Amino acid sequence: WDIVNYIRALGAGTVKPASVMGGAMYDPTVQAVQNAEKLAQAVAQEVVTQDEADLFQLVHDLVEQYRSEHPDIMNSNGNATEREAAILAALVDENFINRAQADAFTDIHDRLGISGLMP
Protein backbone atom coordinates (compact mmCIF):
# COMPACT_ATOMS: atom_id res chain seq x y z
CA TRP A 1 0.00 0.00 0.00
CA ASP A 2 2.94 2.32 0.56
CA ILE A 3 3.84 2.04 -3.13
CA VAL A 4 0.24 2.64 -4.22
CA ASN A 5 -0.02 5.69 -1.98
CA TYR A 6 3.33 7.01 -3.22
CA ILE A 7 2.24 6.65 -6.85
CA ARG A 8 -1.03 8.43 -6.08
CA ALA A 9 0.91 11.22 -4.34
CA LEU A 10 3.17 11.57 -7.39
CA GLY A 11 0.12 11.89 -9.62
CA ALA A 12 -1.43 14.47 -7.32
CA GLY A 13 1.81 16.47 -7.18
CA THR A 14 2.11 16.26 -3.40
CA VAL A 15 5.53 14.62 -3.64
CA LYS A 16 8.26 14.88 -6.21
CA PRO A 17 10.63 12.05 -7.01
CA ALA A 18 14.19 12.54 -5.85
CA SER A 19 17.10 12.27 -8.24
CA VAL A 20 18.13 9.13 -6.41
CA MET A 21 16.07 6.18 -5.23
CA GLY A 22 13.06 7.07 -3.13
CA GLY A 23 11.44 10.46 -2.93
CA ALA A 24 10.97 13.47 -0.74
CA MET A 25 7.81 15.19 0.34
CA TYR A 26 7.08 18.20 -1.81
CA ASP A 27 7.02 21.33 0.30
CA PRO A 28 6.34 24.53 -1.68
CA THR A 29 7.74 26.69 1.13
CA VAL A 30 11.05 24.82 1.13
CA GLN A 31 11.18 24.99 -2.67
CA ALA A 32 10.54 28.76 -2.60
CA VAL A 33 13.37 29.31 -0.10
CA GLN A 34 15.76 27.14 -2.15
CA ASN A 35 14.85 28.99 -5.36
CA ALA A 36 15.34 32.38 -3.68
CA GLU A 37 18.78 31.30 -2.46
CA LYS A 38 19.78 30.03 -5.91
CA LEU A 39 18.54 33.21 -7.57
CA ALA A 40 20.48 35.33 -5.07
CA GLN A 41 23.61 33.33 -5.93
CA ALA A 42 22.92 33.83 -9.63
CA VAL A 43 22.65 37.58 -9.14
CA ALA A 44 25.82 37.66 -7.03
CA GLN A 45 27.67 35.66 -9.71
CA GLU A 46 26.23 37.95 -12.42
CA VAL A 47 24.54 35.06 -14.20
CA VAL A 48 21.32 37.11 -14.14
CA THR A 49 20.33 40.62 -13.13
CA GLN A 50 18.01 41.28 -10.20
CA ASP A 51 15.22 42.20 -12.65
CA GLU A 52 15.72 38.88 -14.44
CA ALA A 53 15.68 37.02 -11.12
CA ASP A 54 12.43 38.76 -10.18
CA LEU A 55 10.88 37.89 -13.55
CA PHE A 56 12.06 34.29 -13.26
CA GLN A 57 10.50 33.96 -9.80
CA LEU A 58 7.21 35.46 -10.97
CA VAL A 59 6.91 33.14 -13.96
CA HIS A 60 8.19 30.14 -11.99
CA ASP A 61 5.46 30.65 -9.40
CA LEU A 62 2.84 30.80 -12.16
CA VAL A 63 4.23 27.63 -13.76
CA GLU A 64 4.11 25.79 -10.42
CA GLN A 65 0.56 27.01 -9.80
CA TYR A 66 -0.47 25.83 -13.27
CA ARG A 67 1.10 22.42 -12.60
CA SER A 68 -0.77 22.06 -9.32
CA GLU A 69 -4.07 23.08 -10.93
CA HIS A 70 -3.51 20.80 -13.97
CA PRO A 71 -1.88 17.61 -12.64
CA ASP A 72 -2.72 15.85 -15.90
CA ILE A 73 0.01 17.90 -17.63
CA MET A 74 2.63 15.80 -15.83
CA ASN A 75 1.17 12.64 -17.39
CA SER A 76 1.07 14.06 -20.91
CA ASN A 77 3.36 12.92 -23.67
CA GLY A 78 6.67 14.64 -24.17
CA ASN A 79 9.68 15.43 -22.06
CA ALA A 80 9.96 18.00 -19.29
CA THR A 81 11.07 20.73 -21.71
CA GLU A 82 8.03 20.15 -23.93
CA ARG A 83 5.67 20.13 -20.94
CA GLU A 84 7.18 23.39 -19.66
CA ALA A 85 6.79 24.95 -23.11
CA ALA A 86 3.14 23.86 -23.14
CA ILE A 87 2.58 25.42 -19.72
CA LEU A 88 4.23 28.67 -20.78
CA ALA A 89 2.09 28.74 -23.94
CA ALA A 90 -1.03 28.21 -21.84
CA LEU A 91 -0.02 31.04 -19.49
CA VAL A 92 0.48 33.31 -22.50
CA ASP A 93 -2.86 32.24 -24.01
CA GLU A 94 -4.60 32.96 -20.70
CA ASN A 95 -2.86 36.39 -20.46
CA PHE A 96 -1.03 35.62 -17.20
CA ILE A 97 2.26 36.49 -18.93
CA ASN A 98 3.21 37.77 -22.35
CA ARG A 99 5.35 36.03 -24.97
CA ALA A 100 8.42 38.13 -24.14
CA GLN A 101 8.20 37.09 -20.49
CA ALA A 102 7.84 33.43 -21.47
CA ASP A 103 10.87 33.67 -23.75
CA ALA A 104 12.88 35.49 -21.09
CA PHE A 105 11.95 32.81 -18.53
CA THR A 106 13.24 30.09 -20.85
CA ASP A 107 16.46 32.01 -21.52
CA ILE A 108 17.04 32.65 -17.81
CA HIS A 109 16.25 29.01 -16.99
CA ASP A 110 18.83 27.89 -19.57
CA ARG A 111 21.49 30.24 -18.16
CA LEU A 112 20.81 29.04 -14.63
CA GLY A 113 21.15 25.45 -15.80
CA ILE A 114 24.42 26.12 -17.64
CA SER A 115 25.80 27.84 -14.54
CA GLY A 116 24.92 24.78 -12.44
CA LEU A 117 22.69 26.76 -10.11
CA MET A 118 19.46 25.06 -11.19
CA PRO A 119 18.68 21.79 -12.93
Side-chain angles (χ1 to χ4, degrees), residues 18-23:
S19 60
V20 294
M21 191 174 282

Side-chain angles (χ1 to χ4, degrees), residues 45-107:
Q45 294 175 17
E46 298 182 353
V47 174
V48 298
T49 66
Q50 186 60 55
D51 287 342
E52 289 173 321
D54 294 342
L55 172 67
F56 182 86
Q57 189 61 58
L58 170 79
V59 177
H60 184 273
D61 290 346
L62 290 169
V63 167
E64 288 301 312
Q65 180 180 345
Y66 189 91
R67 279 188 183 129
S68 71
E69 293 173 357
H70 301 88
D72 55 308
I73 193 87
M74 298 311 291
N75 299 323
S76 64
N77 292 333
N79 61 35
T81 302
E82 292 167 340
R83 286 190 299 268
E84 186 169 278
I87 292 171
L88 290 171
L91 291 172
V92 169
D93 289 345
E94 296 173 18
N95 294 316
F96 287 104
I97 60 174
N98 59 43
R99 185 77 251 164
Q101 291 170 314
D103 292 343
F105 175 82
T106 300
D107 175 61

Side-chain angles (χ1 to χ4, degrees), residues 25-46:
M25 289 298 296
Y26 173 66
D27 185 342
T29 304
V30 170
Q31 183 184 16
V33 169
Q34 290 171 342
N35 283 348
E37 290 170 354
K38 290 176 184 178
L39 287 171
Q41 286 178 326
V43 171
Q45 294 175 17
E46 298 182 353

